[in-house]
Amino acid sequence: MKSPGIERVLFTEEEIHRRILQIAAGISEDYAGRQLKLVGVLKGSVFFLTALARELTVPVTVDFLGISSFAYSQTTPGLVRISKDLDESIEGEHVLLVEDIIDTGFTTRYLLKHLSERAPKSLAVCTLLDRTTRRIVQIPLDYRCFEIPDRFVVGFGLDYQQFYRNLKYVAVLNPEPQS
Ligand code: IMP
Ligand code: MG
């Protein structure tokens, strides 16, 4: 059943799960024989990160960054601030940055710079959603589940004013004002 305010479902729970299995298999193969640190970005990527982590077959540790991002709605794109830093060092580790969505690319570029300054052994990027049509800065993207059209989406971690994160699917939000 759709939640109020949802225009149409883009990816169902089953489609997301199937795609995560494929991506996880690729990551497990690429990192075979090594251990991997997943770095999630609060709060959006938590839902994807936990689903992905459960399907990985390499030893995995998890840490989180918190950010305040003004990239989507304001006229000054790219303004990102760390509000919660990593709990542990990533020096010498294989790090996979796990994102909910890459839009303009400003957030990811900022986070990659922040993480690479901590001297990880390797640094790669994995995103649930990729909206290439709005990309402003090019960033290296190693793994992505889905490309999406230029519409605002919610669910599976993505929010509108902090709501909808818990939806099992990814959906286009109805642009009409909510009553
Ligand atoms: P970027 O810096 O433009 O790539 O912005 C990425 C961030 O903007 C994401 O981490 C989200 O928090 C937010 N964002 C961008 N598009 C959407 C969307 O369609 N739904 C929900 N959040 C979005
Ligand atoms: Mg948000």
Side-chain angles (χ1 to χ4, degrees), residues 100 152 158-162 165:
D100 52 355
F152 193 84
L158 288 110
D159 74 302
Y160 173 68
Q161 297 183 350
Q162 299 301 328
R165 291 194 197 276

Side-chain angles (χ1 to χ4, degrees), residues 10-11 72 100-106 108 127-153:
L10 274 185
F11 308 111
Y72 195 73
D100 52 355
I101 182 168
I102 301 178
D103 187 36
T104 63
F106 280 112
T108 309
T127 189
L128 175 67
L129 305 177
D130 183 15
R131 192 190 281 116
T132 55
T133 50
R134 282 172 44 91
R135 193 65 39 84
I136 296 172
V137 295
Q138 295 311 311
I139 43 112
L141 180 51
D142 301 274
Y143 309 97
R144 77 157 176 208
C145 291
F146 303 104
E147 179 159 7
I148 59 161
D150 192 5
R151 297 293 309 278
F152 193 84
V153 298

Side-chain angles (χ1 to χ4, degrees), residues 74-110:
Q74 309 243 330
T75 47
T76 51
L79 198 58
V80 184
R81 193 177 57 82
I82 302 278
S83 57
K84 182 223 164 284
D85 210 338
L86 296 172
D87 289 333
E88 286 141 22
S89 164
I90 55 168
E91 192 178 334
E93 295 196 55
H94 295 290
V95 172
L96 183 62
L97 175 64
V98 181
E99 298 258 37
D100 52 355
I101 182 168
I102 301 178
D103 187 36
T104 63
F106 280 112
T107 306
T108 309
R109 182 176 69 175
Y110 178 86

Side-chain angles (χ1 to χ4, degrees), residues 60-74:
V60 158
T61 59
V62 168
D63 206 343
F64 291 97
L65 282 169
I67 55 165
S68 311
S69 170
F70 308 94
Y72 195 73
S73 55
Q74 309 243 330

Side-chain angles (χ1 to χ4, degrees), residues 1-9 167 169 171:
M1 216 192 80
K2 288 196 301 185
S3 280
I6 295 304
E7 182 179 297
R8 72 189 157 98
V9 175
L167 297 182
Y169 50 84

